Amino acid sequence: EVQLVQSKTEVKKPGESLTISCQASGYTFSNYWIGWVRQMPGQGLEWMGIIYPGDSDTRYGPPFRGRVSFSADRSTRTAYLHWSSLKASDTAIYYCARRLGLDYLAFDFWGQGTVLTVSS
Amino acid sequence: QSVSTRPPSVSAAPGQKVTISCSGSSSNIGNNYVSWYQQVPGTAPKLLIYDNNKRPSGIPDRFSGSKSGTSATLDITGLQTGDEAYYFCGAWDNSLGAGVFGGGTKLTVL
């Protein structure tokens, strides 16, 4: 059974750094892109970007370039989303998801989401 | 927004059919695949349609997708109360070099 399990809820202060995780199971981790999607409170979905664990090839959405970074550890089957300096506007739910096929927006399995609150 | 979902909200009775539209441009929908998602508040999105009109395993054929030019549509027939959710479309945008989602449509099943 394919599963993506994300790290727990986080409460951080502006300026702090943070890494959240997404651990995959039930399939060959290296062979599927992992995407990250942001959902700000009461808002729609935003495509943050995507990483291929096989070679760490990445794509970032324009609003997120330089603000976040993706990484993947094949030995632990885990993808990571990292901020070096958080802002209050980063408050949101962050989802990881497995890409299906050729479509960059087709994600067939999703993590449960990590809730991030950034507040002073 | 480069991709928009219309209408912002729609209501229909159980058993009826609704159509949700996704409008874009040649840089996104016109030249790339469209996906559709269902999101019940408080839960992760669920993929309903990918590659314009394909359904993942487990998605009933009450949900169907199509694309023509720079627009796409999601049809939901035989509405059920469990279909009450937000629906989002998405596509790759060649100009942005990124994926884009529409703003979403709220479906209420009366």
Side-chain angles (χ1 to χ4, degrees), chain A residues 47-61:
Chain A
W47 190 91
M48 299 180 69
I50 201 161
I51 182 168
Y52 187 68
D55 60 7
S56 293
D57 188 11
T58 56
R59 307 278 190 277
Y60 293 96

Side-chain angles (χ1 to χ4, degrees), chain A residues 39 44-47 60-62 65 95 100 103-108 110-111, chain B residues 33 35 37 39 43-45 47 50-51 88 90-92 96-99 101:
Chain A
Q39 189 165 38
L45 307 176
E46 296 177 89
W47 190 91
Y60 293 96
R65 290 170 191 157
Y95 294 101
L100 169 67
D103 185 348
Y104 277 104
L105 272 289
F107 298 116
D108 58 350
W110 291 65
Chain B
Y33 291 120
S35 301
Y37 290 90
Q39 186 180 32
T43 69
L47 181 65
Y50 69 100
D51 291 0
F88 299 91
W92 182 258
L96 295 174
F101 288 102

Side-chain angles (χ1 to χ4, degrees), chain B residues 73-94:
Chain B
T73 59
L74 172 70
D75 288 322
I76 310 173
T77 60
L79 275 175
Q80 302 175 0
T81 55
D83 296 333
E84 196 162 280
Y86 289 85
Y87 291 82
F88 299 91
C89 62
W92 182 258
D93 190 296
N94 296 330

